[in-house]
Amino acid sequence: QVQLVESGGGLVQAGGSLRLSCAASGVIFSIGAMGWYRQTPEKWREFVTGITSGGSTMYANSVKGRFTISRDNAKNTMYLQMNSLKPEDTAVYYCQYGNSGRDYWGQGTQVTVSS
C-alpha cells in the first residue's frame, strides 16, 4: 500500500521560510521521480518542482531561486525548502511520486503566507 505523507506546512509571514517533508512508504523510493505541486481554490494543481531518481531537478519559473527540492533515499523522504515566501505561494502543497507510468499523491499540507 502506497502512502505519501506531507508535513511541515503552516502559517508564515512574507519573506519567511518553511521546509516541507514527504515521507513515502510502499514504494521503491529510490527509482521513482518525485515532485511538489500546489493548488488553490482559484487555480488547479500546478507543478512547483520535481526531482528525478538521479537527482536532476526542475523548477517552475515562479519559484526558481527561492525553493529547493531534495531527496534522501535512505530515509524515503523528499523535502522542499521554501525561502523568501510570498503571499502568492499560499496553497495546499501536494507530494507526488511517479514510476512506471503510475502516479501517487499525498493528502496535501497547507502553506499560508501572510503579507
Side-chain angles (χ1 to χ4, degrees):
Q1 179 181 353
V2 178
Q3 271 198 313
L4 300 174
V5 180
E6 301 100 334
S7 60
L11 174 63
V12 64
Q13 286 190 331
S17 298
L18 281 174
R19 189 192 195 204
L20 305 184
S21 298
C22 172
S25 60
V27 296
I28 306 175
F29 184 82
S30 61
I31 67 173
M34 299 199 70
W36 290 98
Y37 290 71
R38 63 189 182 187
Q39 184 171 337
T40 67
E42 298 79 26
K43 197 183 296 185
W44 183 239
R45 200 169 294 187
E46 66 172 358
F47 172 80
V48 176
T49 178
I51 185 166
T52 68
S53 57
S56 297
T57 59
M58 59 216 81
Y59 296 91
N61 287 336
S62 59
V63 306
K64 271 181 188 174
R66 299 188 298 122
F67 290 11
T68 302
I69 189 172
S70 61
R71 63 192 295 166
D72 186 337
N73 289 340
K75 295 182 178 179
N76 281 13
T77 302
M78 175 179 66
Y79 304 97
L80 180 62
Q81 179 66 43
M82 305 186 293
N83 298 329
S84 302
L85 282 162
K86 304 175 181 180
E88 51 264 43
D89 294 318
T90 295
V92 177
Y93 283 71
Y94 293 91
C95 164
Q96 176 260 346
Y97 170 93
N99 184 37
S100 300
R102 296 196 66 176
D103 286 327
Y104 300 91
W105 297 88
Q107 82 289 351
T109 186
Q110 176 70 46
V111 171
T112 303
V113 184
S114 63
S115 56

